[in-house]
Amino acid sequence: MASPSVIVVEKSDNRIVVEFNNIPRQYINALRRLAISEVPTLAIDDVVILENSSVMHDEAVAHRLGLIPLRTDPGRFVMPHECDCGSTLGCAKCRVLLVLDAEATDKTKVVTSGEMVSEDEMVKPVSKDIPIVVLAPSQKLKFEAYARLGIGKQHAKWQPTSAAVVKDGKTESETVLIIETNGALTAEEILKESTERLQAKIKNFKQVIAALKIPKSA
């Protein structure tokens, strides 16, 4: 049987294409599924509206904020339920505060993601041009937003991928994995984290099987 091999065909911050040879397709599909559902990223999970005189309801503003991708530094933060702070508000290890104070004066103003100020220089919206709300003259929007780690199977706002696809290769033994990112993580970071999570699951499965007590047949 031919030896398995992995070749990176294309790589940029936003996209990676990997060619797998002589590796069962189910393992590659597992990487795809993990990339979508179990790679943690930061997303706004709690919003305190301090002032909102726009036409958009507070709940709609909070929903929009949650869908703004935030750049995430892998390994720097912990999941809220794993943090030892024991606080519902969180701490520097499990949450990041972003604030916004915007006002339209004499003309209509489009408030964008670039106007949010983060307490962490690394954790910022991946684009400064994402619209949040339109303010008419004299209208204001002021809020505090708290970003926390989560995973895609909890809510789509934590999905780091914009696309994750498994395709047939040029030969029967070849399979291609394509991952594209929304910018929260690089495509390479997503693939690396997916691989580590798959390894952990396989290791845990082996331990479960080893611990089974199979009765001897009569």
Side-chain angles (χ1 to χ4, degrees), residues 17 24-25 30 37 50 68 70 83 86 160-161 171 190 195-196 207:
V17 180
R25 187 186 181 97
S37 64
L50 302 174
I68 295 175
L70 301 175
C83 189
T161 58
T171 64
I190 294 173
T195 303
E196 290 175 355
Q207 291 173 344

Side-chain angles (χ1 to χ4, degrees), residues 102-169:
E103 180 180 1
T105 53
D106 56 344
K107 60 181 180 179
T108 300
K109 173 183 174 66
V110 179
V111 180
T112 63
S113 54
E115 295 180 58
M116 289 196 293
V117 179
S118 174
E119 66 177 353
D120 189 300
E121 292 185 359
M122 174 65 188
V123 181
K124 295 180 180 179
V126 299
S127 170
K128 63 181 182 180
D129 300 320
I130 301 171
I132 299 173
V133 69
V134 178
L135 298 178
S138 300
Q139 290 183 342
K140 298 179 181 180
L141 177 63
K142 183 177 181 180
F143 62 73
E144 295 177 351
Y146 296 87
R148 297 181 177 89
L149 278 183
I151 54 177
K153 67 181 181 180
Q154 292 176 298
H155 194 284
K157 67 184 178 183
W158 280 300
Q159 288 183 5
T161 58
S162 57
V165 180
V166 174
K167 298 172 60 178
D168 292 331

Side-chain angles (χ1 to χ4, degrees), residues 42 71 73 76-77 92 95-98 117-124:
L42 287 166
R71 175 60 189 161
D73 188 358
R76 198 164 142 216
F77 297 93
R95 68 105 176 95
V96 178
L97 171 65
L98 299 96
V117 179
S118 174
E119 66 177 353
D120 189 300
E121 292 185 359
M122 174 65 188
V123 181
K124 295 180 180 179

Side-chain angles (χ1 to χ4, degrees), residues 75 79 205-206:
M79 299 285 278
F205 182 69
K206 287 182 177 179

Side-chain angles (χ1 to χ4, degrees), residues 19-203:
E19 179 185 292
F20 297 84
N21 287 282
N22 301 302
I23 296 175
R25 187 186 181 97
Q26 55 265 35
Y27 289 110
I28 303 160
N29 193 48
L31 288 176
R32 180 192 69 83
R33 292 168 62 99
L34 289 169
I36 296 171
S37 64
E38 293 198 29
V39 173
T41 61
L42 287 166
I44 291 173
D45 190 41
D46 191 18
V47 180
V48 179
I49 302 291
L50 302 174
E51 186 172 0
N52 179 20
S53 54
S54 74
V55 297
M56 186 175 290
H57 294 297
D58 292 356
E59 294 81 1
V61 173
H63 177 71
R64 283 197 173 187
L65 294 175
L67 296 178
I68 295 175
L70 301 175
R71 175 60 189 161
T72 303
D73 188 358
R76 198 164 142 216
F77 297 93
V78 298
M79 299 285 278
H81 66 277
E82 296 174 350
C83 189
D84 55 12
C85 70
S87 171
T88 55
L89 295 176
C91 66
K93 293 189 295 183
C94 64
R95 68 105 176 95
V96 178
L97 171 65
L98 299 96
V99 298
L100 182 140
D101 188 355
E103 180 180 1
T105 53
D106 56 344
K107 60 181 180 179
T108 300
K109 173 183 174 66
V110 179
V111 180
T112 63
S113 54
E115 295 180 58
M116 289 196 293
V117 179
S118 174
E119 66 177 353
D120 189 300
E121 292 185 359
M122 174 65 188
V123 181
K124 295 180 180 179
V126 299
S127 170
K128 63 181 182 180
D129 300 320
I130 301 171
I132 299 173
V133 69
V134 178
L135 298 178
S138 300
Q139 290 183 342
K140 298 179 181 180
L141 177 63
K142 183 177 181 180
F143 62 73
E144 295 177 351
Y146 296 87
R148 297 181 177 89
L149 278 183
I151 54 177
K153 67 181 181 180
Q154 292 176 298
H155 194 284
K157 67 184 178 183
W158 280 300
Q159 288 183 5
T161 58
S162 57
V165 180
V166 174
K167 298 172 60 178
D168 292 331
K170 298 175 183 177
T171 64
E172 188 176 331
S173 62
E174 182 181 297
T175 309
V176 177
L177 173 64
I178 303 170
I179 293 176
E180 296 180 0
T181 173
N182 62 15
L185 299 167
T186 67
E188 183 177 6
E189 288 169 342
I190 294 173
L191 180 58
K192 181 180 179 182
E193 183 68 26
S194 300
T195 303
E196 290 175 355
R197 289 184 174 264
L198 180 58
Q199 289 176 333
K201 287 179 180 292
I202 292 174
K203 181 179 179 181

